[in-house]
Amino acid sequence: MTRLRRTASAAAALAFTAVATAVLGFAGPASAHVTVNPKEATQGGYARVAFRVPNESDSASTTKLEVVLPENAPVGSVSTIPVPGWTVATEKRKVNPPIEVHGSQLTEAISKITWTATGDAAVKPGQFQEFGVSMGPLPKVETMVFKTLQTYSDGNVVRWIDEPQPGGEEPEKPAPVLTLAAAAAPSASGAPAASAVAAADDDDDESVGAAVGLGIAGVATGLAGLVFGGLAFARTRRGPVVKS
């Protein structure tokens, strides 16, 4: 039985490996584009994301990255995380209506972020680099599409600007896409949650009480068994009564 189980497990592992290799083998080339990670965030909240930039050239290095923020989804607060060896510059645009951030009305928003390599910091062949950004409050839209330009040291510019098509295949040069989920609606009252907690506490108390009761019953049964066992043993130790 043990051998059969091991054989079945090994066969399942080999089958999974074969399927994973096939899937990844086909998905590999298409997954080498610029992406945003994580790919999901919540509307109205703040998110820390990273634009992951792989180098697809065999001879040139990536020296510049330009990320354009979507015009239909302006964000009031945008800040970047320092990347060693790279400088960063931002561009702004006017927005109407204004964006409300912590009670303030903002009439401008970041429209573009540009990272440029200095010295020997360029992304070399076979490497990738992440460029971190913190932004929010995130707009109430389903997706944010970040059209991106990747510039190489040989002058080649790859335009990751193709927007996704619902129900269609992935475009040749897809732009990074951040999916935004609606924020959970707050409950009308905290009473149901409190009742649920109280009910859970009651269930826990009943469970503990039942466990204690069973434990006491078990101890009592054990003691009774010891007493009867001792009496039986004492009787066996007594010899036959000899009448004179």
Side-chain angles (χ1 to χ4, degrees):
M1 183 62 71
T2 301
R3 290 182 177 178
L4 289 176
R5 290 178 179 175
R6 290 178 178 175
T7 303
S9 299
L14 288 174
F16 175 79
T17 302
V19 173
T21 301
V23 173
L24 293 177
F26 286 108
S31 63
H33 50 261
V34 176
T35 58
V36 59
N37 299 280
K39 299 181 181 298
E40 297 181 356
T42 303
Q43 297 175 5
Y46 281 77
R48 176 177 173 176
V49 300
F51 292 94
R52 184 173 298 171
V53 182
N55 193 316
E56 296 182 306
S57 174
D58 294 330
S59 57
S61 300
T62 297
T63 58
K64 184 166 67 172
L65 181 72
E66 300 168 81
V67 176
V68 178
L69 278 67
E71 290 189 7
N72 67 331
V75 180
S77 176
V78 177
S79 56
T80 59
I81 299 174
V83 180
W86 290 74
T87 61
V88 61
T90 58
E91 297 178 18
K92 292 185 177 182
R93 64 180 178 86
K94 297 290 185 179
V95 292
N96 189 21
I99 308 171
E100 182 175 348
V101 179
H102 303 303
S104 300
Q105 299 292 323
L106 303 181
T107 58
E108 289 186 332
I110 299 295
S111 60
K112 183 179 178 181
I113 307 174
T114 302
W115 288 271
T116 305
T118 61
D120 194 38
V123 185
K124 298 173 179 57
Q127 299 180 349
F128 74 92
Q129 179 65 54
E130 291 188 336
F131 301 86
V133 177
S134 174
M135 62 179 68
L138 296 177
K140 294 183 179 180
V141 296
E142 294 183 355
T143 59
M144 294 182 69
V145 180
F146 301 93
K147 296 185 178 182
T148 303
L149 304 182
Q150 181 180 8
T151 301
Y152 285 87
S153 56
D154 59 2
N156 183 34
V157 178
V158 181
R159 300 168 61 84
W160 304 102
I161 61 174
D162 295 340
E163 299 188 17
Q165 300 300 323
E169 297 181 356
E170 183 179 67
E172 182 181 358
K173 299 295 182 182
V177 177
L178 179 65
T179 301
L180 301 182
S187 60
S189 172
S195 299
V197 173
D201 291 342
D202 291 341
D203 292 341
D204 291 342
D205 292 341
E206 291 178 1
S207 299
V208 173
V212 173
L214 289 175
I216 294 175
V219 173
T221 302
L223 291 175
L226 289 174
V227 171
F228 286 114
L231 292 175
F233 179 74
R235 289 176 181 174
T236 58
R237 295 288 294 173
R238 294 177 182 174
V241 179
V242 179
K243 296 182 179 179
S244 55

